[in-house]
Amino acid sequence: MTQENLQSDLKTQVKTLRDSAAMRWTALLLLALAMFCSYIFMDILSPIKDLMLSERGWDSTAFGTMQGAETFLNVFIFFLIFAGIILDKMGVRFTAVLSGAVMLVGAIIKWYAVADSFIGSGLETWFTNNLNYIPGFDELGVSPFYLGMPASAKVAAIGFMIFGCGVEMAGITVSRGIVKWFKGREMALAMGSEMALARLGVATCMIFSPFFAKLGGHISVSRSVAFGVVLLMIALIMFIVYFFMDKKLDAQTGEAEEKDDPFKISDLGQILTSSGFWLVALLCVLYYSAIFPFQKYAVNMLQCNLTFTEVDPNSFWAGSTVTIVQYLIMLVVAAAAFASNFMKQKSMKYGLLCLSVVALVIFCYMGYMRQSAETVFAVFPLLAVGITPILGNYVDHKGKAASMLVLGSLLLIACHLTFAFILPALKGNMIGGIVVAYLTILVLGSSFSLVPASLWPSVPKLVDAKIIGSAYALIFWIQNIGLWLFPLLIGKVLDKTNPGVTDPTQYNYTAPLVMLAFLGVAALILGLVLKVVDKKKGLGLEEPNIK
């Protein structure tokens, strides 16, 4: 063998970071932890909506307007489209760090808005007297502010708008990053695992936001937001570490960052003329509109449909220690369920599954004993953590992504109809109601896990690799329209169907839940159409990712 051939063989044997399972999963972990932190901040005020009324004077209109502001710039100023262009031109690592910085800036503004130092300040006076009318947006009924909106809610809305730009930019960047590190490998498993970990942020938020707000017996809503700000600082650090990993990968492979492959506006035509793309995009907006807006109302819906009794303030169940204990048990549920997917020995696999089930039962029991709706809803992502890697692994090796979406639609319909009709019928039955609530919340969370496991990995099959960032951006933009619209619709439907109701625990949620169930019906129809289009055009959505 000549020296040249020997050197050539050595070069082919050199592995890149991407070829190392440990390194590519480390890259995934960095991205997933960053999204975990962002998911916590996204709903940081949802579990303490009642405290925002008593402490800052935010009524439901102010609260809902502030929550809807998160997607305002993404939808109406088209920031998400620009984010996709930035991603395609500047690459994953630059956009990841930029998104982390933007999220942090928005979070700090929102924290200042609810801090005690804002009260009585010159800024409070200015915002009270201004931004009460936005030409054009007011006429269209989509203004993020209104006359009489508390100044703190206005500033919080501005911060949340900026955060919303960062978090959606992070979402498309993470998806593009996973494609870069896992294409041709276990991509669906990676995307499903990332989203499963990120959604633990929902449970973390439900458990710890009220905990920090009421810590030490003194109520301070700014403490909850400050908790979220600290986590977003950690998220930015995660993105910076990922920056250097990604840079080293490109140095090893000799690949140029995406910015060297110039983006053209005309490339969007390739995306917009794809029927498969539009079906996937519409499926995405229907799924997410039936889940994320529901999350913002879920705690109140449970308060209205379950019977809770007041816990003795001197008991263990009313103390702060139970919060930490329950969260640790939640981590056991998640870690054991997730790890069981990677065990080759059956004894280890089923042992971890048993541990996860036992810990889940204990977690649910503790939520019941605490008699609070937020701790009941905290179970939402736990089944998804265990089941998402299974679904992702199945799609990677067996395919059937479009069929998974049809199954997810059926589960979505069943869950919302259960909340609408069965749960109210069990009000007064403390055990029956809580059991049905837990089971339905778990199934709803698992149905949602079908989206990252099957839908997101399908996008690279529909568009050219050079414009994946823009494709994800367009899907996220369409999704954001639903995330802006449906929280407002749910609120309006609630008001229309509950005239004269002043007690927030006495609303009838039947009509809004039926509306969300119809989103599931529409998703089911589109899922069936997607299967037909896939078979006719050979998109490969039913084919495995690993061949």
Side-chain angles (χ1 to χ4, degrees):
M1 181 179 290
T2 65
Q3 186 175 357
E4 289 79 7
N5 288 338
L6 181 61
Q7 288 177 342
S8 177
D9 286 346
L10 287 173
K11 284 182 180 178
T12 59
Q13 292 173 15
V14 172
K15 287 192 173 184
T16 65
L17 292 178
R18 185 163 50 200
D19 295 319
S20 166
M23 295 310 295
R24 66 174 177 267
W25 283 95
T26 297
L28 178 77
L29 184 63
L30 291 170
L31 296 174
L33 286 174
M35 293 309 294
F36 167 80
C37 294
S38 70
Y39 267 58
I40 293 174
F41 192 85
M42 199 181 297
D43 278 320
I44 199 72
L45 293 182
S46 296
I48 55 172
K49 179 179 180 292
D50 55 334
L51 297 181
M52 297 311 298
L53 175 61
S54 60
E55 299 298 308
R56 292 295 181 269
W58 294 12
D59 58 14
S60 293
T61 302
F63 184 84
T65 304
M66 187 281 303
Q67 292 281 31
E70 179 194 353
T71 59
F72 181 81
L73 294 178
N74 290 323
V75 172
F76 296 105
I77 312 299
F78 302 103
F79 179 80
L80 256 175
I81 306 301
F82 297 126
I85 295 172
I86 292 170
L87 177 57
D88 282 330
K89 286 182 71 69
M90 303 304 294
V92 172
R93 54 179 176 266
F94 171 86
T95 315
V97 175
L98 177 63
S99 65
V102 171
M103 283 194 293
L104 184 58
V105 168
I108 291 172
I109 294 172
K110 186 172 179 178
W111 166 77
Y112 176 66
V114 299
D116 292 340
S117 56
F118 181 79
I119 300 173
S121 66
L123 271 177
E124 182 182 36
T125 302
W126 191 91
F127 277 95
T128 299
N129 298 325
N130 293 278
L131 297 182
N132 294 313
Y133 171 73
I134 310 295
F137 289 107
D138 270 274
E139 282 76 9
L140 292 172
V142 297
S143 176
F145 314 109
Y146 61 87
L147 180 63
M149 186 175 182
S152 59
K154 290 180 183 176
V155 178
I158 292 172
F160 212 27
M161 285 180 204
I162 297 171
F163 167 82
C165 291
V167 75
E168 295 298 338
M169 186 192 295
I172 60 173
T173 303
V174 166
S175 296
R176 181 67 182 87
I178 294 173
V179 170
K180 180 175 182 177
W181 283 76
F182 285 87
K183 191 168 186 178
R185 297 177 175 84
E186 55 279 86
M187 186 164 61
L189 175 61
M191 286 193 171
S193 299
E194 178 271 324
M195 193 53 71
L197 178 57
R199 286 193 184 133
L200 283 179
V202 177
T204 304
C205 174
M206 294 296 163
I207 291 174
F208 279 107
S209 181
F211 172 78
F212 282 108
K214 300 172 184 177
L215 190 64
H218 170 68
I219 293 177
S220 172
V221 293
S222 66
R223 275 199 301 259
S224 294
V225 183
F227 165 64
V229 169
V230 171
L231 290 176
L232 288 177
M233 291 178 181
I234 295 172
L236 179 57
I237 293 171
M238 295 292 176
F239 279 139
I240 291 171
V241 175
Y242 173 82
F243 178 98
F244 290 105
M245 280 191 69
D246 193 82
K247 189 173 184 180
K248 185 174 181 181
L249 173 65
D250 282 352
Q252 289 178 331
T253 60
E255 296 173 0
E257 252 288 71
E258 291 88 338
K259 64 181 178 181
D260 293 332
D261 196 358
F263 171 86
K264 302 182 187 70
I265 294 295
S266 58
D267 289 335
L268 291 177
Q270 178 187 336
I271 302 173
L272 297 176
T273 54
S274 168
S275 58
F277 168 82
W278 278 110
L279 287 170
V280 168
L282 291 173
L283 270 166
C284 177
V285 71
L286 291 170
Y287 265 111
Y288 279 71
S289 296
I291 300 288
F292 279 133
F294 171 73
Q295 282 180 199
K296 299 185 185 303
Y297 290 88
V299 172
N300 185 230
M301 185 275 294
L302 292 174
Q303 290 170 339
C304 296
N305 290 321
L306 294 177
T307 302
F308 293 108
T309 57
E310 190 172 347
V311 178
D312 181 357
N314 298 317
S315 71
F316 167 75
W317 302 109
S320 57
T321 304
V322 67
T323 302
I324 307 296
V325 173
Q326 190 179 19
Y327 189 69
L328 291 174
I329 292 173
M330 185 203 82
L331 293 180
V332 172
V333 176
F338 187 78
S340 68
N341 290 283
F342 303 93
M343 294 295 118
K344 289 185 170 58
Q345 293 183 357
K346 286 190 175 182
S347 58
M348 284 292 293
K349 182 182 183 70
Y350 293 116
L352 285 171
L353 280 175
C354 289
L355 173 62
S356 180
V357 171
V358 171
L360 178 62
V361 171
I362 295 172
F363 180 88
C364 292
Y365 173 75
M366 294 183 76
Y368 167 73
M369 292 302 293
R370 295 181 70 182
Q371 289 291 293
S372 65
E374 57 266 27
T375 56
V376 172
F377 190 68
V379 79
F380 175 69
L382 294 189
L383 186 58
V385 175
I387 202 172
T388 303
I390 297 173
L391 296 172
N393 195 47
Y394 185 87
V395 172
D396 280 330
H397 292 89
K398 302 292 185 181
K400 306 297 182 184
S403 300
M404 292 274 193
L405 294 173
V406 171
L407 175 61
S409 302
L410 290 169
L411 294 176
L412 200 64
I413 297 165
C415 289
H416 283 310
L417 291 180
T418 300
F419 285 134
F421 298 106
I422 298 177
L423 202 59
L426 293 172
K427 189 168 184 178
N429 184 338
M430 290 183 65
I431 303 297
I434 207 82
V435 168
V436 169
Y438 270 134
L439 291 175
T440 311
I441 292 167
L442 284 166
V443 173
L444 184 65
S446 65
S447 74
F448 197 31
S449 68
L450 290 161
V451 179
S454 55
L455 190 148
W456 294 122
S458 299
V459 177
K461 297 179 179 180
L462 302 174
V463 299
D464 187 80
K466 180 169 68 74
I467 51 173
I468 285 177
S470 297
Y472 279 128
L474 277 170
I475 290 178
F476 274 58
W477 179 72
I478 295 167
Q479 166 195 318
N480 269 245
I481 295 174
L483 299 187
W484 163 78
L485 177 62
F486 280 94
L488 299 178
L489 282 180
I490 292 172
K492 289 181 182 297
V493 171
L494 268 180
D495 285 338
K496 290 290 185 181
T497 55
N498 292 274
V501 176
T502 56
D503 185 348
T505 64
Q506 297 301 316
Y507 284 118
N508 184 329
Y509 266 84
T510 302
L513 289 167
V514 169
M515 178 179 69
L516 296 177
F518 272 111
L519 291 179
V521 173
L524 175 61
I525 294 170
L526 282 179
L528 294 171
V529 172
L530 182 63
K531 281 176 66 72
V532 173
V533 171
D534 174 62
K535 188 173 182 179
K536 185 177 179 181
K537 295 192 174 183
L539 299 176
L541 299 183
E542 295 283 85
E543 297 296 319
N545 293 322
I546 299 174
K547 298 181 181 179

